[in-house]
Amino acid sequence: MPDRWRATTLDGVLAARLTEHADDRGKFIELWRDSWTAGLPAPHGGPVAMRQANLSRSREGVLRGMHFHRRQSDLWVMAEGRALAAVADLRALQPGESPAVELHELTVGAALFIPEGVAHGFYARSDMTLVYLVSNEYDGTDEHGFAWNDPDAAIAWPASPVTLSPRDASNRPLREVLARAVGSAD
């Protein structure tokens, strides 16, 4: 594991504070190097390799999540603004069980590595820009989610009103999602 990563309480979820170089002209932050993730093990063998980069902009009060992938890891880097990120470990969870959940405050220069099988979402505390790399190119076949306010996950989101996408607003309860996933090979 690169020196910059620190382990969290969820196995495989890593956090880092990236180095910011500032002077009177502005700031520079190195967002990612192949060597930072190449040494991380993927659940199916071999190192994690990032295959696609994305940029997400959200207005203050937007909540995105909870999403998860069975065959994809994510590397999030906060480029602008502030967010509360939630991660929930679904890897060995059975229907009716509650996931282990962690909350992370993300500010400019914060990085969060999220392995396969760990659900993730965030609440924008301000207008924000998130750069994220993923280990598989998007094709829609590995997109899963559960209700952001599911009582089984008991995520301590801020009490203020949230803005949701139609997709996130219609996500099913965690128990239902897990019951359908048990025995599924995709």
Side-chain angles (χ1 to χ4, degrees):
M1 172 174 18
D3 291 340
R4 69 180 57 257
W5 295 112
R6 67 172 173 75
T8 67
T9 60
L10 295 184
D11 184 40
V13 175
L14 305 171
R17 187 84 197 140
L18 303 179
T19 303
E20 182 177 285
H21 304 278
D23 62 23
D24 58 348
R25 299 169 298 155
K27 297 178 183 179
F28 171 83
I29 298 174
E30 194 171 72
L31 299 180
W32 172 76
R33 286 184 181 208
D34 181 60
S35 61
W36 295 354
T37 52
L40 300 177
H44 307 294
V48 171
M50 295 303 173
R51 305 278 188 226
Q52 181 174 319
N54 303 302
L55 180 79
S56 171
R57 293 181 193 260
S58 298
R59 299 217 182 274
E60 181 176 352
V62 166
L63 192 144
R64 297 185 189 263
M66 292 295 288
H67 308 142
F68 67 97
H69 315 278
R70 294 186 187 135
R71 300 179 309 271
Q72 176 179 296
S73 297
D74 287 39
L75 172 63
W76 289 4
V77 178
M78 182 62 76
E80 180 178 59
R82 298 179 306 121
L84 177 66
V87 289
D89 193 348
L90 307 182
R91 291 173 285 192
L93 208 58
Q94 296 297 313
E97 292 180 335
S98 294
V101 173
E102 278 184 356
L103 296 175
H104 295 271
E105 287 290 336
L106 298 181
T107 57
V108 175
L112 191 62
F113 178 79
I114 306 162
E116 304 175 358
V118 174
H120 45 276
F122 64 81
Y123 172 80
R125 293 190 183 275
S126 68
D127 289 358
M128 58 167 275
T129 303
L130 181 71
V131 174
Y132 65 103
L133 290 88
V134 294
S135 61
N136 282 319
E137 292 182 10
Y138 178 81
D139 69 7
T141 63
D142 192 29
E143 293 294 314
H144 310 282
F146 66 88
W148 66 278
N149 57 353
D150 190 285
D152 287 338
I155 298 169
W157 295 114
S160 59
V162 299
T163 303
L164 298 168
S165 70
R167 171 188 165 198
D168 289 343
S170 65
N171 277 343
R172 300 196 179 280
L174 178 58
R175 286 177 192 238
E176 187 177 319
V177 171
L178 289 175
R180 285 191 301 183
V182 171
S184 175
D186 69 57

